[in-house]
Amino acid sequence: SSLRPHYKTALLSNSFVGARSREQERYHLDEMTDLIIYSHEEGIAKPERRIFELTCERLDVKPEEVVFLDDFEPNVVAANEFGMHAILFLDTAQAIADVQAVLHAHSS
């Protein structure tokens, strides 16, 4: 099931010039998420702390309210150190189970 509209969602991408228009045309990502941050547009990239701060600012959330999923371990470590619930993506079933576990543990 979809996380939206119950949760705010964002895509945080270490990217290249042209990525936004190319990915929008191909995948319509803006229809799937509330916020897309492309590193090349911001001049900062994962695993820099500032990109996690920027994401929280734009979503108006605290780090501890964020579940961060990434397939690159240094990004997961950095997000975890920033205070996010960071999960290393290994495969789809594992990622869904781990995200659901965090959401369930923190639901009121």
Side-chain angles (χ1 to χ4, degrees):
S1 67
S2 176
L3 295 173
R4 297 170 79 204
H6 304 293
Y7 299 96
K8 296 176 185 176
T9 61
L11 175 69
L12 178 53
S13 177
N14 283 357
S15 57
F16 52 88
V17 173
R20 183 178 294 271
S21 59
R22 187 172 307 167
E23 291 179 358
Q24 174 54 28
E25 183 180 312
R26 205 174 280 166
Y27 304 113
H28 304 281
L29 296 176
D30 68 336
E31 298 168 18
M32 299 180 217
T33 189
D34 300 305
L35 172 68
I36 303 175
I37 295 178
Y38 285 107
S39 63
H40 75 278
E41 294 174 351
E42 305 299 336
I44 46 178
K46 298 177 290 184
E48 292 175 69
R49 180 181 180 90
R50 179 67 191 128
I51 201 138
F52 300 119
E53 292 172 347
L54 183 67
T55 303
C56 288
E57 289 167 12
R58 293 198 182 158
L59 287 174
D60 192 27
V61 296
K62 298 177 188 133
E64 60 270 20
E65 296 175 312
V66 175
V67 180
F68 176 81
L69 181 67
D70 200 292
D71 64 354
F72 188 57
E73 193 163 10
N75 295 341
V76 173
V77 170
N80 203 25
E81 288 173 352
F82 179 61
M84 295 177 167
H85 302 278
I87 297 168
L88 180 64
F89 176 93
L90 301 171
D91 63 61
T92 302
Q94 163 266 328
I96 291 170
D98 287 354
V99 168
Q100 288 176 335
V102 171
L103 295 178
H104 179 73
H106 293 85
S107 63
S108 41

